Amino acid sequence: MQIVGTIKEVRELVKSWKKAGETVALVPTMGYLHEGHGSLIEKAKKENDKVVVSIFVNPMQFGPNEDLASYPRDLEKDSAYCQSLGADLIFHPEPEEMYHEGFSSYVDMSVLTEELCGLSRPVHFRGVCTVVSKLFHIVQPDRAYFGEKDAQQLAIIKHMVDDLNIDVEVIGCPIVREDDGLAKSSRNTYLSPEERKAALILSKTIELGKKLVADGETDAEKLVQKMKENIETEPMARIDYVKAVNGLTMQQQKEVKAPMLVAMAVYIGKTRLIDNFILS
Ligand code: PAF
């Protein structure tokens, strides 16, 4: 496995693989990899000849008061993990390599970004769409793999690829959880032991939501209300949002009806965690 930092190096390697008739996968990440990322790399490896993992903490997708500076980083550990899973290349650029002086082109989406995380993180999806489209242009993968934990991000990227005719197959992979249910996230490392226990309210509420639907709840507003009440039983939790939206348009819906995404963002102390379930 190689680790490179320049766009030129990635292009040369990918070109040589494609010339040899090999298929190429991209797993875009911000590093501090966990088993959620691992599941994407494993699936990419099964379905393609070569796997590129990008590790780039993208400044453009962080708001002014967000955790860009403190976002966890450990390239050495990430490299060993990628190698153990059979990745072929890590692309780890410096911010200046991705955003040269005078950089002024952005990919901005007018739909899908207005709800859920887009409301509380207004610049976030413009940063995600811009960096992901740049990565698609740099690597030119046949397939790209994203986690369903960021369900809105996945829907937005699929929409962007369709709108801009980018020749890549976008593949979503299921949420990976800790043994006790907490969705794996690089941000879980911010939690104190007490907060880590409190954070279980997210996955417990997801389970409650699934059960309410299985038991026949048809009113999406009632479903959301009951889920919110459950989160409020945890004193350390502060709700950013809990919403039931159409899984394709991200618009709120009144009825429990597939395709539906029930998503939440909840602060545990200062850490903002997300979780969801999909009715497909
Ligand atoms: O999901 C992430 O880790 C990031 O948003 C992504 C897709 C790597 C873009 O920076």
Side-chain angles (χ1 to χ4, degrees):
M1 190 191 72
Q2 293 190 57
I3 305 177
V4 301
T6 68
I7 293 166
K8 188 167 175 280
E9 288 167 298
V10 178
R11 287 210 162 124
E12 277 169 10
L13 272 166
V14 172
K15 220 178 244 174
S16 71
W17 294 337
K18 290 208 165 168
K19 211 168 164 195
E22 292 177 305
T23 55
V24 179
L26 171 66
V27 181
T29 81
M30 298 207 299
Y32 216 73
L33 305 178
H34 49 68
E35 286 90 340
H37 299 110
S39 73
L40 307 181
I41 299 170
E42 274 169 343
K43 187 166 165 64
K45 190 69 196 170
K46 269 194 205 122
E47 297 177 353
N48 302 273
D49 298 312
K50 298 287 186 196
V51 177
V52 181
V53 179
S54 63
I55 297 182
F56 179 58
V57 183
N58 174 34
M60 200 189 283
Q61 69 189 71
F62 287 79
N65 300 318
E66 292 183 357
D67 56 343
L68 173 62
S70 58
Y71 197 84
R73 293 157 168 93
D74 190 340
L75 184 62
E76 211 173 300
K77 197 159 154 256
D78 288 349
S79 311
Y81 188 44
C82 287
Q83 177 128 32
S84 75
L85 296 173
D88 298 276
L89 175 66
I90 290 180
F91 176 43
H92 179 55
E94 291 298 324
E96 306 77 57
E97 179 71 7
M98 293 297 276
Y99 302 115
H100 57 75
E101 217 189 309
F103 182 90
S104 55
S105 304
Y106 302 91
V107 180
D108 213 346
M109 190 179 284
S110 55
V111 293
L112 305 190
T113 55
E114 288 148 7
E115 271 292 343
L116 310 179
C117 290
L119 274 179
S120 35
R121 304 186 72 193
V123 297
H124 177 65
F125 287 119
R126 173 165 119 144
V128 170
C129 287
T130 302
V131 82
V132 170
S133 62
K134 279 173 71 68
L135 289 167
F136 285 170
H137 285 113
I138 293 164
V139 179
Q140 304 202 2
D142 297 285
R143 300 184 186 89
Y145 295 79
F146 296 85
E148 286 175 354
K149 182 165 78 71
D150 296 294
Q152 186 179 16
Q153 168 174 279
L154 177 60
I156 285 171
I157 289 168
K158 283 185 173 166
H159 203 284
M160 175 186 81
V161 160
D162 192 35
D163 280 354
L164 301 181
N165 310 102
I166 304 177
D167 192 12
V168 58
E169 187 184 348
V170 175
I171 296 168
C173 304
I175 297 176
V176 177
R177 296 180 180 279
E178 303 285 354
D179 289 343
D180 60 6
L182 181 67
K184 299 232 181 210
S185 165
S186 308
R187 289 190 168 99
N188 290 350
T189 53
Y190 296 153
L191 301 168
S192 69
E194 229 191 345
E195 289 171 341
R196 173 66 183 76
K197 272 188 216 145
L200 284 182
I201 196 65
L202 278 92
S203 51
K204 283 185 182 154
T205 305
I206 290 295
E207 285 313 310
L208 170 72
K210 283 185 188 166
K211 186 174 179 310
L212 289 168
V213 172
D215 289 350
E217 180 59 76
T218 53
D219 184 326
E221 283 171 12
K222 279 192 190 147
L223 171 70
V224 164
Q225 188 51 36
K226 285 178 191 159
M227 290 175 71
K228 280 184 173 168
E229 283 164 13
N230 195 58
I231 296 170
E232 281 159 3
T233 61
E234 170 50 63
M236 294 181 88
R238 181 168 58 85
I239 297 174
D240 179 359
Y241 68 76
V242 180
K243 280 184 184 166
V245 298
N246 178 290
L248 301 174
T249 63
M250 300 291 131
Q251 295 304 308
Q252 280 199 62
Q253 63 184 49
K254 292 209 156 105
E255 222 185 309
V256 172
K257 191 172 80 178
M260 187 175 81
L261 166 69
V262 182
M264 62 171 73
V266 176
Y267 284 93
I268 302 291
K270 286 190 176 148
T271 306
R272 184 176 176 277
L273 300 174
I274 57 174
D275 205 339
N276 70 67
F277 71 95
I278 295 167
L279 205 68
S280 51

